[in-house]
Every structure is written in C-alpha cells, then in structure tokens.
Amino acid sequence: MKKKVLLINSNYFDDVYGESKQRAVLPRGIPVLGFACLAAPLVKSGFSINIIDLNLFDNPEEILAASLRELRPDVIGLTATTAVVHKIVDIAKVARSIIPNVTIVAGGPHPTAVPDDLLKNSQIDIVVSGEGDRIFKSIVEGQDLKVIPNIYYKVNGRIAHSDILDTAIEDLDSLEFPAYFLYDIHKYTASKIFARKSPLAFIETSRGCYSHCVYCNKNIHGYKLRQKSPKRVVDEMEYLLKLGFKEIHIIDDVFTADMKRAYEICEEILRRGMKFPWYPRGGIRVDRVNKELLRIMKKSGCYRVPFGIESGSQRVLDAIKKRITLKQAENAVRIAKEAGLEVECYFMIGLPTETEKDILSSISFAKKLDPNYLKFAITLPFPGTEMFDEMVKGNRIKSFNWPDYNFSAPRNVYEHDTLSWRRIDYFYAKCHRDFYLRPSYIAKSLYRSIRSGQFIEHLQALLATRWF
C-alpha cells in the first residue's frame, strides 16, 4: 500500500504580519507553490497526498489535531522561513503526540540554513537542504537515507547527514506542473489592492539568482540562474487558468534577467489570445528593463511592476552589493509609468552602514519616484545570508530566538552599525507615514481608486493601518 503524505502550511499570518504596515491589504493565505511542486511527482507515482493550510482557519490547533487523527499520514512535510520556524516546531510536536511513528520532514530557507539546530530542538526527523522536488519523493519512497543526497537526519540520538551535492535541477521544463488541484482554491481570496482577481496562483518561471545582495538568502535555489522555456511557462499559465485561477503572480527573483526571454513569454501569451491579469511579484531589477519589454508586458496583461530599490543612498546600495544605481532606478520607474503600468517600490530600513541621514535620503527618493505603492521593510540578518555570517563573526547577533526575527516587528535582534532599535521602529512608521499621508499622494490615490473601482478597498486599508 502506498504511503500517505500530509503537507502542512503553518498558521503564520498573525505572527508575521501582526504589526505590518501592509497587513490591511494582505490575504490570509495563498496556495503554497512549494507544496504543489513537491506533491506533483508523488501524485504521478500514486501516493495519497493531502495539503492543509492552517492560515484559512480561525481554530488552527483544532483543525490540525482533527486532520492528523483522520488522515493518519505516514509522512508529514513542513516548510519554514526563520520568522515562522517555531510554528513548524509546534506542529511537529503535536503530530508526534498523535502519530508516534510518523516521519516528519522539513525544508525551506531556515531548515536549510541551520539543519542541526532545528533537528536538535524539535520532533522533526529529517531536514532537506536546498531544492526538494526529487529528494522529498525519495524519502517518501523509503530509500536508504544514507544514499539520498542533501539531507540531515537523526540516528540513535545523534545527527547525521548524507553527501551534500549540487543537485539543482537544470532542466526545469522536465518538472511536472504544480499539483494546485490539491487545494480548494476558491477558499483563497485577496483584496483588489493585492490582486485584481481571485483566486490567484504563484508561478515560478526560473530558479536561482545571479545577484549576491548581502541580506538575501539564496540557499534553496542558489546563484546559478535556470529558466523554463517561454512555451513551458505559458503552457503552465494555461494550466493554472483551466484549474480556475483568475490571476497569476510570478515569484522569480529575476524574471527579466533575460529580457529577450521575458519578451518572448509576453509574445506567447498574446499569440494564444490569453487574457488574464498578471504581476511579477518577485520584483524586477531596475537594470533589467527597457521600454519595449515594459510595453509588451502591459499589453499581455501585466498591470503592475515592483522594483527593489532598497535605499536612496548610493553609498548604501554599494555596501549591500545591490549593483544598481539611483539613476537606473529613476529611469526604470519613469519608463514603467510611461508604459501605463502601476509601479511599486521596495525599500529597506537598517541596512548595513545606514545612518539616519541615509534613511531620510530614502524617504526623499521614494517621494521623488512617486510610485503607486511603497513598502519599507526592516532589515534582518537571516541565517544563510552574508549579513548574518558577518554579524556572527563580529559578535553582533543579540538574539538566536527565531520568533524575534519577525518581518514587521523585530525586537533587538542585532547590533546595528549606527541605529538603535528605538530609532529603527521610529523610522519604520515615519517612512510609510511620510509617503502615504502626503496630500498629493492622497489626492492621486483617491482619483485612481475611484477610476479603478477600488475606492472602498483603499479607504479600508487607510483606516486599518497604524500610522503612529
């Protein structure tokens, strides 16, 4: 009899976004692409697969226990970033108490970065390091752990690991389409600010990133860029639309790295006469766009582009190895607006070497760019990043309590070069307040929201956000 597998997404929303300035527009859940990818080859091989998203429930603890008792899985799969790893530790504890012999497997950015730490301090049995598409299937099939590459596991109370190899999948076209049909996709809704239509699906058209920004963790897909062909990408988009998804968000780190390929994807969407809204949510580098590409993106259904600007100080951009210039950022935002696209800009507070003067420069630069939407995030040194390693060496990490690494409300996690945490908190509120509460922005936003039919959503977001 084939094994039963249960993939569980933790109820992370309130923990992660409880104090976020974007909380009012964020959906409580989106079907997890990673789980859909892991499940696809298992479904093809005849295994019984279920996925539970605890974000969708007001009583996640009860749902978890009831699901475990009903489904009695042989293998449980979990995933986590640093900010929510404590959630999968709790899930594993509950699972072990209900099904003592279950095999619990974890993957994702944080487990990959610190596998030993996670195994020592949890009921988790196995950690998959890096891409798990084929490795997880080997575990479920019951292969000898010693011969499955890139895993850490417990043996008689100690931690062992198999050979750590470069097993990155080169031919992404060979992957099965994500098994999104395992989700009840119509339970997933999003505000019209987050997505034009619901339900929405995430899609990856490439893996890996050639950039080496000091704050970014690339320990899953690495720094070698691998891409799906334009035909495969659009085939997958057609598949998602047939499943009932109404909008698609691309989550690649560098969707436009190969601008010719990105252009060909748009051409293929148009050639097939496909009409749907899409959005490159993973972000677009300001040095990898041009007028022609942005225009065909708009024509093929893209309605908004997000740019990772990070700082209004060129000195800080150089310090974090972003490899862009402020002039490139201005040009990218300008030509995106000329193409008729909404523009979103991402900035960060508390970057290495940043001063209060630099943050004020970021605020001024953000106002100058004047995007439709703006997001400032507090910089955190996540395990697996160059920033974290350097701070560990310098004895500047003040907390290894991973829940403290909350995206929207971190507390005294590390010793910054020049800024106290009190000032970081102050500027987190000030940056959003100074940008969004400008009379000129409010007037333009009011006009745009009335024209687009999103006035109620924008008003609700304005009133629900903590500005002070």
Side-chain angles (χ1 to χ4, degrees), residues 120-160:
K120 286 176 184 176
N121 297 290
S122 75
Q123 293 292 323
I124 292 167
D125 299 298
I126 304 170
V127 165
V128 175
S129 177
E131 291 183 352
D133 307 69
R134 293 169 178 165
I135 293 173
F136 186 65
K137 182 172 182 284
S138 297
I139 294 170
V140 172
E141 290 173 337
Q143 294 183 25
D144 186 347
L145 297 183
K146 292 191 295 292
V147 302
I148 302 174
N150 298 353
I151 61 170
Y152 293 75
Y153 54 95
K154 296 173 182 175
V155 179
N156 299 323
R158 64 180 182 86
I159 296 172

Side-chain angles (χ1 to χ4, degrees), residues 229-297:
S229 67
K231 179 182 182 303
R232 157 66 194 236
V233 171
V234 183
D235 284 347
E236 196 168 324
M237 288 176 167
E238 276 194 322
Y239 159 77
L240 295 175
L241 296 174
K242 287 177 181 177
L243 285 179
F245 290 107
K246 303 299 183 184
E247 179 164 326
I248 295 173
H249 289 191
I250 297 170
I251 60 169
D252 300 18
D253 285 315
V254 280
F255 170 62
T256 61
D258 182 342
M259 290 191 284
K260 180 176 181 293
R261 169 184 166 274
Y263 193 97
E264 289 173 353
I265 290 171
C266 298
E267 280 188 317
E268 185 67 12
I269 291 172
L270 292 169
R271 187 188 70 78
R272 300 189 194 188
M274 298 165 63
K275 297 184 183 300
F276 64 96
W278 63 274
Y279 167 48
R281 177 162 293 280
I284 301 292
R285 284 184 61 89
V286 297
D287 59 346
R288 301 305 300 162
V289 290
N290 57 37
K291 292 180 179 180
E292 293 73 27
L293 176 57
L294 290 168
R295 285 170 182 164
I296 198 170
M297 286 172 64

Side-chain angles (χ1 to χ4, degrees), residues 126-405:
I126 304 170
V127 165
V128 175
S129 177
E131 291 183 352
D133 307 69
R134 293 169 178 165
I135 293 173
F136 186 65
K137 182 172 182 284
S138 297
I139 294 170
V140 172
E141 290 173 337
Q143 294 183 25
D144 186 347
L145 297 183
K146 292 191 295 292
V147 302
I148 302 174
N150 298 353
I151 61 170
Y152 293 75
Y153 54 95
K154 296 173 182 175
V155 179
N156 299 323
R158 64 180 182 86
I159 296 172
H161 65 80
S162 61
D163 291 336
I164 306 303
L165 307 172
D166 179 5
T167 57
I169 298 168
E170 294 292 335
D171 181 12
L172 298 185
D173 284 6
S174 68
L175 295 172
E176 293 85 356
F177 287 170
Y180 271 125
F181 51 81
L182 293 173
Y183 292 95
D184 184 351
I185 65 172
H186 298 291
K187 289 183 178 179
Y188 292 87
T189 59
S191 74
K192 289 184 180 179
I193 300 175
F194 189 87
R196 293 282 176 88
K197 295 183 178 180
S198 295
L200 71 96
F202 284 174
I203 186 174
E204 59 175 13
T205 79
S206 67
R207 291 181 178 180
C209 179
Y210 57 80
S211 189
H212 287 73
C213 303
V214 301
Y215 55 81
C216 201
N217 182 329
K218 291 293 182 289
N219 60 11
I220 298 297
H221 297 312
Y223 293 98
K224 181 180 180 181
L225 183 63
R226 295 156 288 140
Q227 300 175 314
K228 295 177 182 176
S229 67
K231 179 182 182 303
R232 157 66 194 236
V233 171
V234 183
D235 284 347
E236 196 168 324
M237 288 176 167
E238 276 194 322
Y239 159 77
L240 295 175
L241 296 174
K242 287 177 181 177
L243 285 179
F245 290 107
K246 303 299 183 184
E247 179 164 326
I248 295 173
H249 289 191
I250 297 170
I251 60 169
D252 300 18
D253 285 315
V254 280
F255 170 62
T256 61
D258 182 342
M259 290 191 284
K260 180 176 181 293
R261 169 184 166 274
Y263 193 97
E264 289 173 353
I265 290 171
C266 298
E267 280 188 317
E268 185 67 12
I269 291 172
L270 292 169
R271 187 188 70 78
R272 300 189 194 188
M274 298 165 63
K275 297 184 183 300
F276 64 96
W278 63 274
Y279 167 48
R281 177 162 293 280
I284 301 292
R285 284 184 61 89
V286 297
D287 59 346
R288 301 305 300 162
V289 290
N290 57 37
K291 292 180 179 180
E292 293 73 27
L293 176 57
L294 290 168
R295 285 170 182 164
I296 198 170
M297 286 172 64
K298 168 70 174 178
K299 188 176 180 180
S300 65
C302 179
Y303 60 89
R304 183 188 303 162
V305 288
F307 294 112
I309 311 294
E310 320 312 356
S311 176
S313 163
Q314 188 62 53
R315 183 191 62 76
V316 173
L317 289 177
D318 295 341
I320 63 175
K321 303 180 182 179
K322 184 69 180 179
R323 293 194 294 171
I324 63 170
T325 67
L326 297 178
K327 185 176 180 180
Q328 288 173 329
E330 289 186 64
N331 179 66
V333 169
R334 177 180 57 80
I335 61 177
K337 290 180 180 180
E338 290 173 353
L341 291 158
E342 292 180 359
V343 175
E344 185 172 11
C345 290
Y346 300 152
F347 284 80
M348 301 177 75
I349 301 169
L351 288 163
T353 76
E354 189 172 51
T355 64
E356 292 193 7
K357 183 179 178 180
D358 293 322
I359 297 177
L360 293 174
S361 295
S362 291
I363 296 174
S364 296
F365 192 58
K367 291 177 181 178
K368 182 178 181 180
L369 296 176
D370 197 29
N372 299 77
Y373 300 99
L374 176 80
K375 176 184 177 183
F376 272 89
I378 297 175
T379 306
L380 287 170
F382 292 112
T385 66
E386 180 181 331
M387 185 178 172
F388 181 83
D389 292 341
E390 288 299 315
M391 287 193 171
V392 168
K393 289 179 184 177
N395 198 30
R396 293 170 58 196
I397 297 294
K398 301 173 74 173
S399 174
F400 290 91
N401 180 41
W402 305 124
D404 290 344
Y405 288 66

